[in-house]
Amino acid sequence: MSDALDQNIATPQQSEQNYRSAPGISQSELKNLQYDPNKFFNKDWDKSRKEHFVLGSLVDCLLTTPDKFEDLFFFIEEEKIPTQKLMKMAEIFIEQGMDITLENLEVVRTHAGYNPTWGIAAVEKWFNSSAREYVELSLLNPDKTLATFKQKEIAEKIVESFKTNEFTKLHFEERENILRFYQVEIYYNALVKNPITNRTEEVACKGMLDMVEVDILNKTILPIDIKTTGKPTRLFGESQKKYRYDIQAASYTYGLQKLIAGEAESTLKLDLKEYTILPFLFLVETTIEENIGTPLPYKMSEADMLCGYYGTNSFPKNVPAIYSNGVMLQIPASPGWFTLLEQYLWHRETEVFNYTPKEWYQLKQHGAIISSIWN
């Protein structure tokens, strides 16, 4: 491994919290670049823990690191979750680490604008009955993620489904010659052509894979990601497009290629020089409680992987971005992993953050964005 590589990439962090703060661009962060470059560079994307994220995290933990479950989560009854208005007050108490006193309640109520016509006694009574337990538990568990007991119940059903279904259970059973690694961190430098300078540069990247199966007999590596969806599992293709899971698969596969080549740091400590990477696999189960029990495995096709790497205008035609002297001549309607890394370098060089390269080029050349909703 080169000295330059050692200087640029992070070392394995052994925890998700440290992983997220480690240097390097993750695929989940990079995908934000296509929607709002300003927010990407200011790291101002939405970090709130939405319900489906919490449920997905519960499932991931129960399947991949069950020994850490009690250390990562705490639980509350669903009816104890504050209403939206009360939640504003609750979050202030939690963020500021404030004791729930009458004096603090008055200050927080004013700041949150909660029912200004109510007397403080009425506010106190309602807060104590509907938000106090939530705040107190959150203050007692500052480093844990809050979930409801109902979410825990659903997560446990999903885990049981994955482990017992005939098409998914093989990935959780002990099998001869199969080694499994969970929450695998990979840190590497992606080689990207700078569209302004035309020089190839190293961009520090990182990824955390839910599961990696290593077949030591056949010398293969199977990268796996566990997905939960609020829709029936057979509609997973819609989520793949919406959330660009093809980019996730491409970036993780590229990271594994770097690891095989000895050009990455990872928590996976094996000599993989002679190994082949199998097509990326998503294991998918619904969160619709009455539909749990029929998880589906989805294997990435070669065409979808190409879209993940380079983007596409119309499936299955793959159209990489093309630059000439810093001017974008062609860009996919849906960018891929490498397209977005090029875009990252373009923004960094031009210091243009209010527009994407495609928008900037069209505005400069035509004074307007060229409509192309059917292409």
Side-chain angles (χ1 to χ4, degrees):
M1 191 174 294
S2 70
D3 291 339
L5 183 64
D6 287 337
Q7 292 169 7
N8 289 337
I9 65 176
T11 54
Q13 301 297 307
Q14 302 292 342
S15 78
E16 182 175 354
Q17 184 177 2
N18 289 336
Y19 160 79
R20 297 197 182 284
S21 62
I25 300 174
S26 70
Q27 58 85 25
S28 57
E29 293 170 343
L30 191 64
K31 285 187 288 191
N32 286 292
L33 189 59
Q34 61 188 311
Y35 305 117
D36 194 329
N38 240 328
K39 285 189 175 181
F40 171 84
F41 281 94
N42 291 324
K43 297 189 180 297
D44 187 30
W45 46 81
D46 185 9
K47 299 183 180 69
S48 61
R49 298 293 291 175
K50 295 182 174 63
E51 182 176 355
H52 58 280
F53 289 146
V54 173
L55 192 49
S57 296
L58 288 170
V59 172
D60 279 353
C61 186
L62 285 170
L63 282 172
T64 64
T65 53
D67 55 311
K68 297 181 179 179
F69 191 70
E70 298 299 328
D71 296 328
L72 295 177
F73 299 95
F74 70 101
F75 301 93
I76 192 172
E77 295 293 347
E78 196 163 2
E79 59 269 20
K80 294 294 185 178
I81 301 292
T83 61
Q84 187 174 359
K85 285 185 177 181
L86 274 177
M87 184 62 81
K88 289 184 179 180
M89 293 180 61
E91 287 175 347
I92 294 173
F93 274 107
I94 295 167
E95 289 171 3
Q96 300 299 321
M98 300 169 67
D99 293 330
I100 304 174
T101 64
L102 195 62
E103 181 181 2
N104 286 341
L105 197 62
E106 181 72 83
V107 172
V108 171
R109 185 272 284 270
T110 301
H111 187 76
Y114 180 76
N115 288 345
T117 60
W118 284 19
I120 189 60
V123 173
E124 181 185 30
K125 181 179 179 180
W126 188 243
F127 187 88
N128 285 342
S129 65
S130 304
R132 188 181 190 98
E133 183 177 341
Y134 174 87
V135 172
E136 289 177 340
L137 281 173
S138 298
L139 290 172
L140 286 171
N141 299 278
D143 298 322
K144 297 183 181 182
T145 297
L146 180 143
T148 67
F149 285 106
K150 183 61 178 179
Q151 288 175 320
K152 180 183 178 184
E153 179 186 332
I154 292 174
E156 289 170 342
K157 289 181 179 180
I158 291 172
V159 168
E160 181 68 13
S161 173
F162 277 129
K163 289 185 174 182
T164 56
N165 180 270
E166 63 176 310
F167 299 111
T168 57
K169 66 181 181 180
L170 74 158
H171 299 294
F172 303 99
E173 296 174 334
E174 287 191 17
R175 289 155 57 202
E176 190 175 1
N177 300 315
I178 298 295
L179 301 178
R180 289 196 185 92
F181 301 85
Y182 302 103
Q183 301 303 316
V184 175
E185 301 171 41
I186 302 180
Y187 301 88
Y188 61 93
N189 286 329
L191 298 178
V192 185
K193 186 175 181 180
N194 187 312
I196 302 299
T197 65
N198 286 325
R199 292 195 298 266
T200 298
E201 295 189 17
E202 292 180 334
V203 178
C205 299
K206 61 184 178 181
M208 180 180 279
L209 290 79
D210 282 345
M211 296 173 59
V212 176
E213 283 189 357
V214 178
D215 187 330
I216 58 176
L217 178 63
N218 297 305
K219 293 190 178 299
T220 59
I221 303 169
L222 176 61
I224 299 174
D225 194 78
I226 299 163
K227 294 295 185 192
T228 55
T229 174
K231 298 179 179 181
T233 51
R234 62 178 53 88
L235 300 181
F236 180 64
E238 296 178 6
S239 297
Q240 282 183 287
K241 288 183 178 180
K242 180 178 180 180
Y243 299 112
R244 295 306 309 276
Y245 292 147
D246 55 329
I247 290 178
Q248 178 184 11
S251 67
Y252 287 176
T253 301
Y254 183 74
L256 286 171
Q257 290 170 349
K258 286 287 191 177
L259 185 60
I260 290 173
E263 298 173 354
E265 295 285 354
S266 177
T267 50
L268 201 169
K269 304 295 185 182
L270 285 180
D271 183 358
L272 301 172
K273 289 179 183 177
E274 305 296 325
Y275 282 71
T276 300
I277 303 172
L278 298 176
F280 200 95
L281 187 68
F282 290 103
L283 301 180
V284 186
E285 179 58 290
T286 184
T287 59
I288 304 171
E289 193 169 7
E290 59 269 26
N291 291 352
I292 294 173
T294 313
L296 290 177
Y298 283 83
K299 183 188 295 184
M300 290 291 291
S301 67
E302 184 178 351
D304 279 0
M305 286 298 290
L306 285 172
C307 292
Y309 280 122
Y310 304 110
T312 181
N313 272 329
S314 57
F315 183 85
K317 181 182 177 184
N318 303 101
V319 187
I322 297 176
Y323 292 85
S324 177
N325 297 321
V327 175
M328 177 171 287
L329 304 180
Q330 178 175 280
I331 186 172
S334 298
W337 170 245
F338 287 115
T339 319
L340 289 171
L341 286 173
E342 287 181 354
Q343 183 176 329
Y344 163 76
L345 292 179
W346 184 90
H347 286 294
R348 197 188 67 184
E349 291 288 337
T350 62
E351 297 186 347
V352 173
F353 304 114
N354 292 324
Y355 305 97
T356 67
K358 182 177 181 180
E359 291 167 345
W360 182 251
Y361 169 72
Q362 291 190 353
L363 288 168
K364 286 291 188 180
Q365 294 295 314
H366 309 291
I369 304 297
I370 307 303
S371 175
S372 57
I373 60 174
W374 300 115
N375 295 313

